Amino acid sequence: MRKNWLLTLSGSLLAAMLVTGCAANDDQDPAPPEDTNENDTVEENVEEGLNEGQDAVEEGVNEGENMLEEGAEEGQNMLEEGTEEGENMLEDGNNEGTNEGENKNENK
């Protein structure tokens, strides 16, 4: 019978400690308010990223156009130089041929 009383008292004591231990924490902090700045920050970051991407694309297009214009100008300059060199070579060839012809006439 002592065992019965011991189990009843220890069970009751354990239950009382459990109830008082769980109810002792009444000073709970309320849940923190939701942070809406995070959502705004994400949207701002996305928008900023899109703007930077668009700026980079526009800059790339402008650089490409400039490179095309420079290439066209260089090509035109090279063509003009080649034409001038060709004309000079023709004139030099004509002059040499004329000089050779004059030298042959003088030798006769």
mmCIF file of all heavy atoms in Angstrom, residues 36-92:
data_model
loop_
_atom_site.group_PDB
_atom_site.id
_atom_site.type_symbol
_atom_site.label_atom_id
_atom_site.label_comp_id
_atom_site.label_asym_id
_atom_site.label_seq_id
_atom_site.Cartn_x
_atom_site.Cartn_y
_atom_site.Cartn_z
ATOM 1 N N THR A 36 7.691 45.163 -44.113
ATOM 2 C CA THR A 36 7.285 45.434 -45.494
ATOM 3 C C THR A 36 8.412 46.082 -46.281
ATOM 4 O O THR A 36 8.358 46.142 -47.496
ATOM 5 C CB THR A 36 6.054 46.349 -45.534
ATOM 6 O OG1 THR A 36 6.354 47.559 -44.839
ATOM 7 C CG2 THR A 36 4.860 45.677 -44.891
ATOM 8 N N ASN A 37 9.440 46.566 -45.577
ATOM 9 C CA ASN A 37 10.572 47.174 -46.281
ATOM 10 C C ASN A 37 11.319 46.146 -47.109
ATOM 11 O O ASN A 37 11.898 46.478 -48.141
ATOM 12 C CB ASN A 37 11.538 47.822 -45.279
ATOM 13 C CG ASN A 37 10.935 49.039 -44.624
ATOM 14 O OD1 ASN A 37 10.023 49.646 -45.156
ATOM 15 N ND2 ASN A 37 11.445 49.382 -43.452
ATOM 16 N N GLU A 38 11.298 44.902 -46.657
ATOM 17 C CA GLU A 38 12.004 43.857 -47.399
ATOM 18 C C GLU A 38 11.396 43.692 -48.784
ATOM 19 O O GLU A 38 12.102 43.591 -49.770
ATOM 20 C CB GLU A 38 11.960 42.545 -46.626
ATOM 21 C CG GLU A 38 12.752 41.433 -47.279
ATOM 22 C CD GLU A 38 12.736 40.168 -46.451
ATOM 23 O OE1 GLU A 38 12.728 40.257 -45.220
ATOM 24 O OE2 GLU A 38 12.750 39.092 -47.062
ATOM 25 N N ASN A 39 10.064 43.673 -48.855
ATOM 26 C CA ASN A 39 9.404 43.552 -50.149
ATOM 27 C C ASN A 39 9.708 44.767 -51.018
ATOM 28 O O ASN A 39 9.944 44.636 -52.217
ATOM 29 C CB ASN A 39 7.890 43.390 -49.974
ATOM 30 C CG ASN A 39 7.534 42.068 -49.349
ATOM 31 O OD1 ASN A 39 8.298 41.114 -49.417
ATOM 32 N ND2 ASN A 39 6.377 42.006 -48.713
ATOM 33 N N ASP A 40 9.677 45.959 -50.419
ATOM 34 C CA ASP A 40 9.992 47.161 -51.173
ATOM 35 C C ASP A 40 11.428 47.119 -51.664
ATOM 36 O O ASP A 40 11.722 47.507 -52.788
ATOM 37 C CB ASP A 40 9.771 48.418 -50.312
ATOM 38 C CG ASP A 40 8.307 48.628 -49.951
ATOM 39 O OD1 ASP A 40 7.442 48.044 -50.638
ATOM 40 O OD2 ASP A 40 8.038 49.361 -48.984
ATOM 41 N N THR A 41 12.323 46.640 -50.822
ATOM 42 C CA THR A 41 13.728 46.569 -51.185
ATOM 43 C C THR A 41 13.935 45.609 -52.349
ATOM 44 O O THR A 41 14.691 45.900 -53.272
ATOM 45 C CB THR A 41 14.572 46.119 -49.974
ATOM 46 O OG1 THR A 41 14.321 47.010 -48.895
ATOM 47 C CG2 THR A 41 16.032 46.126 -50.286
ATOM 48 N N VAL A 42 13.265 44.477 -52.317
ATOM 49 C CA VAL A 42 13.389 43.510 -53.406
ATOM 50 C C VAL A 42 12.895 44.125 -54.705
ATOM 51 O O VAL A 42 13.547 44.024 -55.747
ATOM 52 C CB VAL A 42 12.624 42.208 -53.069
ATOM 53 C CG1 VAL A 42 12.544 41.306 -54.282
ATOM 54 C CG2 VAL A 42 13.270 41.495 -51.900
ATOM 55 N N GLU A 43 11.744 44.791 -54.659
ATOM 56 C CA GLU A 43 11.205 45.419 -55.861
ATOM 57 C C GLU A 43 12.138 46.511 -56.368
ATOM 58 O O GLU A 43 12.361 46.638 -57.572
ATOM 59 C CB GLU A 43 9.818 45.990 -55.580
ATOM 60 C CG GLU A 43 8.752 44.929 -55.367
ATOM 61 C CD GLU A 43 7.414 45.509 -54.933
ATOM 62 O OE1 GLU A 43 7.289 46.743 -54.875
ATOM 63 O OE2 GLU A 43 6.505 44.709 -54.653
ATOM 64 N N GLU A 44 12.708 47.292 -55.429
ATOM 65 C CA GLU A 44 13.649 48.332 -55.839
ATOM 66 C C GLU A 44 14.892 47.720 -56.466
ATOM 67 O O GLU A 44 15.401 48.232 -57.472
ATOM 68 C CB GLU A 44 14.041 49.188 -54.631
ATOM 69 C CG GLU A 44 12.926 50.087 -54.141
ATOM 70 C CD GLU A 44 13.271 50.773 -52.818
ATOM 71 O OE1 GLU A 44 14.388 50.566 -52.309
ATOM 72 O OE2 GLU A 44 12.414 51.519 -52.316
ATOM 73 N N ASN A 45 15.379 46.617 -55.894
ATOM 74 C CA ASN A 45 16.555 45.959 -56.444
ATOM 75 C C ASN A 45 16.283 45.415 -57.843
ATOM 76 O O ASN A 45 17.130 45.512 -58.729
ATOM 77 C CB ASN A 45 17.034 44.833 -55.527
ATOM 78 C CG ASN A 45 17.655 45.357 -54.263
ATOM 79 O OD1 ASN A 45 18.063 46.512 -54.188
ATOM 80 N ND2 ASN A 45 17.749 44.511 -53.257
ATOM 81 N N VAL A 46 15.114 44.837 -58.032
ATOM 82 C CA VAL A 46 14.755 44.310 -59.347
ATOM 83 C C VAL A 46 14.675 45.451 -60.360
ATOM 84 O O VAL A 46 15.212 45.369 -61.462
ATOM 85 C CB VAL A 46 13.425 43.528 -59.284
ATOM 86 C CG1 VAL A 46 12.902 43.227 -60.671
ATOM 87 C CG2 VAL A 46 13.608 42.253 -58.485
ATOM 88 N N GLU A 47 14.015 46.529 -59.964
ATOM 89 C CA GLU A 47 13.879 47.673 -60.863
ATOM 90 C C GLU A 47 15.250 48.279 -61.173
ATOM 91 O O GLU A 47 15.541 48.613 -62.318
ATOM 92 C CB GLU A 47 12.970 48.728 -60.218
ATOM 93 C CG GLU A 47 12.635 49.885 -61.136
ATOM 94 C CD GLU A 47 11.626 50.836 -60.518
ATOM 95 O OE1 GLU A 47 10.770 50.379 -59.742
ATOM 96 O OE2 GLU A 47 11.711 52.016 -60.820
ATOM 97 N N GLU A 48 16.086 48.380 -60.150
ATOM 98 C CA GLU A 48 17.428 48.927 -60.346
ATOM 99 C C GLU A 48 18.236 48.025 -61.288
ATOM 100 O O GLU A 48 18.955 48.504 -62.163
ATOM 101 C CB GLU A 48 18.132 49.045 -58.999
ATOM 102 C CG GLU A 48 19.476 49.706 -59.057
ATOM 103 C CD GLU A 48 20.070 49.863 -57.668
ATOM 104 O OE1 GLU A 48 19.349 50.307 -56.751
ATOM 105 O OE2 GLU A 48 21.253 49.538 -57.521
ATOM 106 N N GLY A 49 18.114 46.723 -61.108
ATOM 107 C CA GLY A 49 18.805 45.772 -61.983
ATOM 108 C C GLY A 49 18.339 45.884 -63.421
ATOM 109 O O GLY A 49 19.140 45.826 -64.354
ATOM 110 N N LEU A 50 17.034 46.050 -63.606
ATOM 111 C CA LEU A 50 16.503 46.214 -64.962
ATOM 112 C C LEU A 50 17.025 47.489 -65.595
ATOM 113 O O LEU A 50 17.400 47.508 -66.771
ATOM 114 C CB LEU A 50 14.971 46.221 -64.934
ATOM 115 C CG LEU A 50 14.294 44.895 -64.650
ATOM 116 C CD1 LEU A 50 12.785 45.093 -64.510
ATOM 117 C CD2 LEU A 50 14.573 43.897 -65.750
ATOM 118 N N ASN A 51 17.054 48.576 -64.808
ATOM 119 C CA ASN A 51 17.560 49.842 -65.338
ATOM 120 C C ASN A 51 19.030 49.730 -65.714
ATOM 121 O O ASN A 51 19.447 50.226 -66.769
ATOM 122 C CB ASN A 51 17.359 50.973 -64.321
ATOM 123 C CG ASN A 51 15.902 51.352 -64.142
ATOM 124 O OD1 ASN A 51 15.075 51.080 -65.012
ATOM 125 N ND2 ASN A 51 15.574 51.965 -63.026
ATOM 126 N N GLU A 52 19.831 49.086 -64.869
ATOM 127 C CA GLU A 52 21.245 48.908 -65.172
ATOM 128 C C GLU A 52 21.426 48.054 -66.416
ATOM 129 O O GLU A 52 22.281 48.339 -67.251
ATOM 130 C CB GLU A 52 21.961 48.269 -63.981
ATOM 131 C CG GLU A 52 22.151 49.208 -62.816
ATOM 132 C CD GLU A 52 22.790 48.528 -61.615
ATOM 133 O OE1 GLU A 52 23.169 47.335 -61.712
ATOM 134 O OE2 GLU A 52 22.926 49.203 -60.578
ATOM 135 N N GLY A 53 20.621 47.005 -66.543
ATOM 136 C CA GLY A 53 20.700 46.153 -67.726
ATOM 137 C C GLY A 53 20.342 46.917 -68.986
ATOM 138 O O GLY A 53 21.009 46.785 -70.019
ATOM 139 N N GLN A 54 19.300 47.728 -68.903
ATOM 140 C CA GLN A 54 18.888 48.513 -70.059
ATOM 141 C C GLN A 54 19.970 49.528 -70.426
ATOM 142 O O GLN A 54 20.270 49.714 -71.602
ATOM 143 C CB GLN A 54 17.570 49.233 -69.764
ATOM 144 C CG GLN A 54 17.011 49.985 -70.957
ATOM 145 C CD GLN A 54 15.673 50.633 -70.630
ATOM 146 O OE1 GLN A 54 15.209 50.608 -69.505
ATOM 147 N NE2 GLN A 54 15.059 51.228 -71.623
ATOM 148 N N ASP A 55 20.578 50.159 -69.423
ATOM 149 C CA ASP A 55 21.661 51.108 -69.685
ATOM 150 C C ASP A 55 22.839 50.410 -70.355
ATOM 151 O O ASP A 55 23.446 50.950 -71.283
ATOM 152 C CB ASP A 55 22.123 51.775 -68.380
ATOM 153 C CG ASP A 55 21.077 52.708 -67.787
ATOM 154 O OD1 ASP A 55 20.123 53.074 -68.525
ATOM 155 O OD2 ASP A 55 21.199 53.063 -66.597
ATOM 156 N N ALA A 56 23.163 49.212 -69.895
ATOM 157 C CA ALA A 56 24.282 48.470 -70.479
ATOM 158 C C ALA A 56 23.989 48.103 -71.932
ATOM 159 O O ALA A 56 24.873 48.192 -72.793
ATOM 160 C CB ALA A 56 24.558 47.217 -69.653
ATOM 161 N N VAL A 57 22.755 47.723 -72.221
ATOM 162 C CA VAL A 57 22.385 47.385 -73.598
ATOM 163 C C VAL A 57 22.478 48.621 -74.489
ATOM 164 O O VAL A 57 23.033 48.570 -75.594
ATOM 165 C CB VAL A 57 20.961 46.777 -73.647
ATOM 166 C CG1 VAL A 57 20.442 46.693 -75.063
ATOM 167 C CG2 VAL A 57 20.953 45.411 -72.996
ATOM 168 N N GLU A 58 21.956 49.747 -74.009
ATOM 169 C CA GLU A 58 22.026 50.976 -74.799
ATOM 170 C C GLU A 58 23.469 51.395 -75.035
ATOM 171 O O GLU A 58 23.836 51.815 -76.141
ATOM 172 C CB GLU A 58 21.256 52.095 -74.092
ATOM 173 C CG GLU A 58 19.748 51.912 -74.124
ATOM 174 C CD GLU A 58 19.007 52.941 -73.296
ATOM 175 O OE1 GLU A 58 19.638 53.817 -72.686
ATOM 176 O OE2 GLU A 58 17.762 52.867 -73.264
ATOM 177 N N GLU A 59 24.300 51.259 -74.010
ATOM 178 C CA GLU A 59 25.714 51.605 -74.154
ATOM 179 C C GLU A 59 26.392 50.686 -75.174
ATOM 180 O O GLU A 59 27.185 51.132 -76.005
ATOM 181 C CB GLU A 59 26.405 51.482 -72.798
ATOM 182 C CG GLU A 59 27.846 51.927 -72.803
ATOM 183 C CD GLU A 59 28.457 51.854 -71.423
ATOM 184 O OE1 GLU A 59 27.755 52.159 -70.431
ATOM 185 O OE2 GLU A 59 29.647 51.507 -71.346
ATOM 186 N N GLY A 60 26.062 49.411 -75.126
ATOM 187 C CA GLY A 60 26.618 48.458 -76.085
ATOM 188 C C GLY A 60 26.188 48.766 -77.506
ATOM 189 O O GLY A 60 26.982 48.679 -78.448
ATOM 190 N N VAL A 61 24.927 49.152 -77.679
ATOM 191 C CA VAL A 61 24.433 49.506 -79.018
ATOM 192 C C VAL A 61 25.172 50.739 -79.529
ATOM 193 O O VAL A 61 25.607 50.781 -80.690
ATOM 194 C CB VAL A 61 22.900 49.744 -78.985
ATOM 195 C CG1 VAL A 61 22.425 50.394 -80.259
ATOM 196 C CG2 VAL A 61 22.175 48.430 -78.751
ATOM 197 N N ASN A 62 25.340 51.742 -78.661
ATOM 198 C CA ASN A 62 26.047 52.957 -79.073
ATOM 199 C C ASN A 62 27.494 52.655 -79.436
ATOM 200 O O ASN A 62 28.011 53.166 -80.436
ATOM 201 C CB ASN A 62 25.996 54.013 -77.956
ATOM 202 C CG ASN A 62 24.605 54.583 -77.763
ATOM 203 O OD1 ASN A 62 23.773 54.534 -78.664
ATOM 204 N ND2 ASN A 62 24.346 55.111 -76.589
ATOM 205 N N GLU A 63 28.161 51.824 -78.640
ATOM 206 C CA GLU A 63 29.533 51.455 -78.949
ATOM 207 C C GLU A 63 29.602 50.699 -80.272
ATOM 208 O O GLU A 63 30.517 50.916 -81.064
ATOM 209 C CB GLU A 63 30.125 50.614 -77.824
ATOM 210 C CG GLU A 63 30.449 51.401 -76.579
ATOM 211 C CD GLU A 63 31.011 50.535 -75.471
ATOM 212 O OE1 GLU A 63 31.325 49.352 -75.708
ATOM 213 O OE2 GLU A 63 31.146 51.048 -74.352
ATOM 214 N N GLY A 64 28.647 49.819 -80.506
ATOM 215 C CA GLY A 64 28.618 49.068 -81.762
ATOM 216 C C GLY A 64 28.424 49.989 -82.958
ATOM 217 O O GLY A 64 29.082 49.826 -83.990
ATOM 218 N N GLU A 65 27.530 50.952 -82.824
ATOM 219 C CA GLU A 65 27.319 51.912 -83.915
ATOM 220 C C GLU A 65 28.582 52.718 -84.177
ATOM 221 O O GLU A 65 28.958 52.935 -85.331
ATOM 222 C CB GLU A 65 26.150 52.840 -83.579
ATOM 223 C CG GLU A 65 24.789 52.177 -83.646
ATOM 224 C CD GLU A 65 23.657 53.095 -83.194
ATOM 225 O OE1 GLU A 65 23.938 54.214 -82.716
ATOM 226 O OE2 GLU A 65 22.499 52.684 -83.322
ATOM 227 N N ASN A 66 29.241 53.157 -83.101
ATOM 228 C CA ASN A 66 30.476 53.921 -83.256
ATOM 229 C C ASN A 66 31.553 53.085 -83.938
ATOM 230 O O ASN A 66 32.283 53.579 -84.805
ATOM 231 C CB ASN A 66 30.981 54.423 -81.900
ATOM 232 C CG ASN A 66 30.082 55.475 -81.293
ATOM 233 O OD1 ASN A 66 29.297 56.119 -81.986
ATOM 234 N ND2 ASN A 66 30.183 55.664 -79.990
ATOM 235 N N MET A 67 31.639 51.829 -83.559
ATOM 236 C CA MET A 67 32.641 50.959 -84.173
ATOM 237 C C MET A 67 32.343 50.736 -85.644
ATOM 238 O O MET A 67 33.261 50.703 -86.473
ATOM 239 C CB MET A 67 32.709 49.626 -83.418
ATOM 240 C CG MET A 67 33.296 49.750 -82.028
ATOM 241 S SD MET A 67 33.227 48.221 -81.087
ATOM 242 C CE MET A 67 34.510 47.283 -81.899
ATOM 243 N N LEU A 68 31.068 50.599 -85.984
ATOM 244 C CA LEU A 68 30.702 50.438 -87.396
ATOM 245 C C LEU A 68 31.062 51.681 -88.197
ATOM 246 O O LEU A 68 31.597 51.589 -89.309
ATOM 247 C CB LEU A 68 29.209 50.142 -87.531
ATOM 248 C CG LEU A 68 28.764 48.731 -87.194
ATOM 249 C CD1 LEU A 68 27.243 48.634 -87.219
ATOM 250 C CD2 LEU A 68 29.353 47.741 -88.176
ATOM 251 N N GLU A 69 30.769 52.853 -87.637
ATOM 252 C CA GLU A 69 31.100 54.098 -88.331
ATOM 253 C C GLU A 69 32.610 54.240 -88.506
ATOM 254 O O GLU A 69 33.084 54.599 -89.583
ATOM 255 C CB GLU A 69 30.546 55.298 -87.553
ATOM 256 C CG GLU A 69 29.031 55.411 -87.606
ATOM 257 C CD GLU A 69 28.497 56.512 -86.708
ATOM 258 O OE1 GLU A 69 29.299 57.244 -86.096
ATOM 259 O OE2 GLU A 69 27.258 56.636 -86.628
ATOM 260 N N GLU A 70 33.375 53.921 -87.457
ATOM 261 C CA GLU A 70 34.828 54.002 -87.556
ATOM 262 C C GLU A 70 35.356 53.010 -88.586
ATOM 263 O O GLU A 70 36.254 53.336 -89.363
ATOM 264 C CB GLU A 70 35.460 53.718 -86.188
ATOM 265 C CG GLU A 70 35.255 54.827 -85.180
ATOM 266 C CD GLU A 70 35.767 54.458 -83.792
ATOM 267 O OE1 GLU A 70 36.410 53.395 -83.640
ATOM 268 O OE2 GLU A 70 35.521 55.243 -82.865
ATOM 269 N N GLY A 71 34.799 51.817 -88.588
ATOM 270 C CA GLY A 71 35.219 50.810 -89.567
ATOM 271 C C GLY A 71 34.912 51.236 -90.987
ATOM 272 O O GLY A 71 35.729 51.033 -91.896
ATOM 273 N N ALA A 72 33.741 51.833 -91.178
ATOM 274 C CA ALA A 72 33.379 52.304 -92.517
ATOM 275 C C ALA A 72 34.314 53.426 -92.953
ATOM 276 O O ALA A 72 34.766 53.468 -94.115
ATOM 277 C CB ALA A 72 31.928 52.775 -92.529
ATOM 278 N N GLU A 73 34.647 54.333 -92.020
ATOM 279 C CA GLU A 73 35.560 55.425 -92.361
ATOM 280 C C GLU A 73 36.952 54.893 -92.680
ATOM 281 O O GLU A 73 37.594 55.339 -93.641
ATOM 282 C CB GLU A 73 35.631 56.433 -91.207
ATOM 283 C CG GLU A 73 34.377 57.272 -91.043
ATOM 284 C CD GLU A 73 34.431 58.169 -89.810
ATOM 285 O OE1 GLU A 73 35.482 58.233 -89.148
ATOM 286 O OE2 GLU A 73 33.402 58.806 -89.526
ATOM 287 N N GLU A 74 37.426 53.936 -91.884
ATOM 288 C CA GLU A 74 38.732 53.346 -92.150
ATOM 289 C C GLU A 74 38.740 52.640 -93.503
ATOM 290 O O GLU A 74 39.705 52.748 -94.260
ATOM 291 C CB GLU A 74 39.096 52.354 -91.046
ATOM 292 C CG GLU A 74 39.552 52.995 -89.766
ATOM 293 C CD GLU A 74 39.965 51.968 -88.722
ATOM 294 O OE1 GLU A 74 40.447 50.876 -89.088
ATOM 295 O OE2 GLU A 74 39.798 52.268 -87.534
ATOM 296 N N GLY A 75 37.674 51.922 -93.795
ATOM 297 C CA GLY A 75 37.577 51.243 -95.079
ATOM 298 C C GLY A 75 37.586 52.238 -96.235
ATOM 299 O O GLY A 75 38.259 52.019 -97.253
ATOM 300 N N GLN A 76 36.862 53.338 -96.076
ATOM 301 C CA GLN A 76 36.828 54.367 -97.112
ATOM 302 C C GLN A 76 38.214 54.977 -97.292
ATOM 303 O O GLN A 76 38.669 55.178 -98.427
ATOM 304 C CB GLN A 76 35.809 55.453 -96.743
ATOM 305 C CG GLN A 76 35.644 56.546 -97.780
ATOM 306 C CD GLN A 76 35.033 56.043 -99.073
ATOM 307 O OE1 GLN A 76 34.260 55.100 -99.079
ATOM 308 N NE2 GLN A 76 35.410 56.660 -100.173
ATOM 309 N N ASN A 77 38.891 55.273 -96.171
ATOM 310 C CA ASN A 77 40.239 55.839 -96.247
ATOM 311 C C ASN A 77 41.209 54.877 -96.912
ATOM 312 O O ASN A 77 42.037 55.286 -97.735
ATOM 313 C CB ASN A 77 40.749 56.215 -94.852
ATOM 314 C CG ASN A 77 39.994 57.380 -94.255
ATOM 315 O OD1 ASN A 77 39.357 58.150 -94.952
ATOM 316 N ND2 ASN A 77 40.061 57.503 -92.932
ATOM 317 N N MET A 78 41.109 53.606 -96.572
ATOM 318 C CA MET A 78 41.986 52.616 -97.186
ATOM 319 C C MET A 78 41.711 52.490 -98.678
ATOM 320 O O MET A 78 42.638 52.343 -99.479
ATOM 321 C CB MET A 78 41.819 51.264 -96.489
ATOM 322 C CG MET A 78 42.348 51.240 -95.073
ATOM 323 S SD MET A 78 42.006 49.705 -94.204
ATOM 324 C CE MET A 78 43.100 48.586 -95.051
ATOM 325 N N LEU A 79 40.463 52.560 -99.058
ATOM 326 C CA LEU A 79 40.104 52.486 -100.467
ATOM 327 C C LEU A 79 40.671 53.679 -101.225
ATOM 328 O O LEU A 79 41.236 53.526 -102.314
ATOM 329 C CB LEU A 79 38.578 52.431 -100.610
ATOM 330 C CG LEU A 79 38.015 52.281 -102.016
ATOM 331 C CD1 LEU A 79 38.479 50.975 -102.630
ATOM 332 C CD2 LEU A 79 36.510 52.356 -102.000
ATOM 333 N N GLU A 80 40.544 54.876 -100.619
ATOM 334 C CA GLU A 80 41.082 56.068 -101.264
ATOM 335 C C GLU A 80 42.606 56.001 -101.368
ATOM 336 O O GLU A 80 43.186 56.341 -102.408
ATOM 337 C CB GLU A 80 40.661 57.318 -100.486
ATOM 338 C CG GLU A 80 39.182 57.640 -100.612
ATOM 339 C CD GLU A 80 38.734 58.775 -99.697
ATOM 340 O OE1 GLU A 80 39.588 59.323 -98.965
ATOM 341 O OE2 GLU A 80 37.545 59.103 -99.721
ATOM 342 N N GLU A 81 43.274 55.533 -100.305
ATOM 343 C CA GLU A 81 44.726 55.390 -100.346
ATOM 344 C C GLU A 81 45.143 54.372 -101.390
ATOM 345 O O GLU A 81 46.115 54.576 -102.129
ATOM 346 C CB GLU A 81 45.252 54.965 -98.972
ATOM 347 C CG GLU A 81 45.196 56.049 -97.928
ATOM 348 C CD GLU A 81 45.602 55.545 -96.545
ATOM 349 O OE1 GLU A 81 46.074 54.394 -96.433
ATOM 350 O OE2 GLU A 81 45.449 56.322 -95.585
ATOM 351 N N GLY A 82 44.413 53.259 -101.460
ATOM 352 C CA GLY A 82 44.718 52.233 -102.459
ATOM 353 C C GLY A 82 44.529 52.763 -103.872
ATOM 354 O O GLY A 82 45.332 52.468 -104.773
ATOM 355 N N THR A 83 43.488 53.565 -104.058
ATOM 356 C CA THR A 83 43.237 54.148 -105.381
ATOM 357 C C THR A 83 44.370 55.100 -105.746
ATOM 358 O O THR A 83 44.879 55.067 -106.879
ATOM 359 C CB THR A 83 41.888 54.897 -105.389
ATOM 360 O OG1 THR A 83 40.861 53.977 -105.028
ATOM 361 C CG2 THR A 83 41.579 55.470 -106.749
ATOM 362 N N GLU A 84 44.783 55.928 -104.799
ATOM 363 C CA GLU A 84 45.875 56.861 -105.047
ATOM 364 C C GLU A 84 47.171 56.119 -105.341
ATOM 365 O O GLU A 84 47.910 56.482 -106.269
ATOM 366 C CB GLU A 84 46.071 57.793 -103.845
ATOM 367 C CG GLU A 84 44.974 58.815 -103.679
ATOM 368 C CD GLU A 84 45.148 59.645 -102.400
ATOM 369 O OE1 GLU A 84 46.187 59.511 -101.734
ATOM 370 O OE2 GLU A 84 44.226 60.412 -102.091
ATOM 371 N N GLU A 85 47.463 55.070 -104.579
ATOM 372 C CA GLU A 85 48.667 54.284 -104.814
ATOM 373 C C GLU A 85 48.621 53.631 -106.194
ATOM 374 O O GLU A 85 49.621 53.577 -106.902
ATOM 375 C CB GLU A 85 48.836 53.232 -103.728
ATOM 376 C CG GLU A 85 49.266 53.788 -102.396
ATOM 377 C CD GLU A 85 49.393 52.713 -101.326
ATOM 378 O OE1 GLU A 85 49.390 51.506 -101.672
ATOM 379 O OE2 GLU A 85 49.494 53.080 -100.156
ATOM 380 N N GLY A 86 47.451 53.112 -106.546
ATOM 381 C CA GLY A 86 47.304 52.497 -107.869
ATOM 382 C C GLY A 86 47.514 53.505 -108.980
ATOM 383 O O GLY A 86 48.187 53.216 -109.990
ATOM 384 N N GLU A 87 46.948 54.705 -108.821
ATOM 385 C CA GLU A 87 47.139 55.748 -109.830
ATOM 386 C C GLU A 87 48.609 56.151 -109.911
ATOM 387 O O GLU A 87 49.148 56.337 -111.012
ATOM 388 C CB GLU A 87 46.267 56.956 -109.505
ATOM 389 C CG GLU A 87 44.795 56.720 -109.729
ATOM 390 C CD GLU A 87 43.934 57.891 -109.260
ATOM 391 O OE1 GLU A 87 44.473 58.853 -108.682
ATOM 392 O OE2 GLU A 87 42.713 57.819 -109.480
ATOM 393 N N ASN A 88 49.260 56.269 -108.743
ATOM 394 C CA ASN A 88 50.678 56.610 -108.732
ATOM 395 C C ASN A 88 51.507 55.524 -109.406
ATOM 396 O O ASN A 88 52.451 55.828 -110.150
ATOM 397 C CB ASN A 88 51.173 56.819 -107.299
ATOM 398 C CG ASN A 88 50.613 58.080 -106.674
ATOM 399 O OD1 ASN A 88 50.176 58.985 -107.388
ATOM 400 N ND2 ASN A 88 50.615 58.138 -105.347
ATOM 401 N N MET A 89 51.168 54.298 -109.179
ATOM 402 C CA MET A 89 51.898 53.197 -109.805
ATOM 403 C C MET A 89 51.698 53.223 -111.316
ATOM 404 O O MET A 89 52.633 52.982 -112.081
ATOM 405 C CB MET A 89 51.453 51.854 -109.224
ATOM 406 C CG MET A 89 51.901 51.633 -107.790
ATOM 407 S SD MET A 89 51.252 50.132 -107.039
ATOM 408 C CE MET A 89 52.153 48.891 -107.939
ATOM 409 N N LEU A 90 50.464 53.526 -111.755
ATOM 410 C CA LEU A 90 50.213 53.622 -113.198
ATOM 411 C C LEU A 90 51.005 54.766 -113.808
ATOM 412 O O LEU A 90 51.605 54.620 -114.874
ATOM 413 C CB LEU A 90 48.717 53.814 -113.468
ATOM 414 C CG LEU A 90 47.842 52.573 -113.358
ATOM 415 C CD1 LEU A 90 46.377 52.952 -113.513
ATOM 416 C CD2 LEU A 90 48.231 51.554 -114.413
ATOM 417 N N GLU A 91 51.022 55.909 -113.126
ATOM 418 C CA GLU A 91 51.781 57.048 -113.633
ATOM 419 C C GLU A 91 53.265 56.723 -113.676
ATOM 420 O O GLU A 91 53.950 57.036 -114.651
ATOM 421 C CB GLU A 91 51.536 58.279 -112.753
ATOM 422 C CG GLU A 91 50.168 58.890 -112.926
ATOM 423 C CD GLU A 91 49.950 60.075 -111.993
ATOM 424 O OE1 GLU A 91 50.915 60.531 -111.346
ATOM 425 O OE2 GLU A 91 48.806 60.528 -111.900
ATOM 426 N N ASP A 92 53.769 56.070 -112.606
ATOM 427 C CA ASP A 92 55.169 55.687 -112.581
ATOM 428 C C ASP A 92 55.478 54.701 -113.707
ATOM 429 O O ASP A 92 56.510 54.811 -114.383
ATOM 430 C CB ASP A 92 55.543 55.063 -111.234
ATOM 431 C CG ASP A 92 55.555 56.085 -110.105
ATOM 432 O OD1 ASP A 92 55.568 57.297 -110.405
ATOM 433 O OD2 ASP A 92 55.543 55.648 -108.922
#
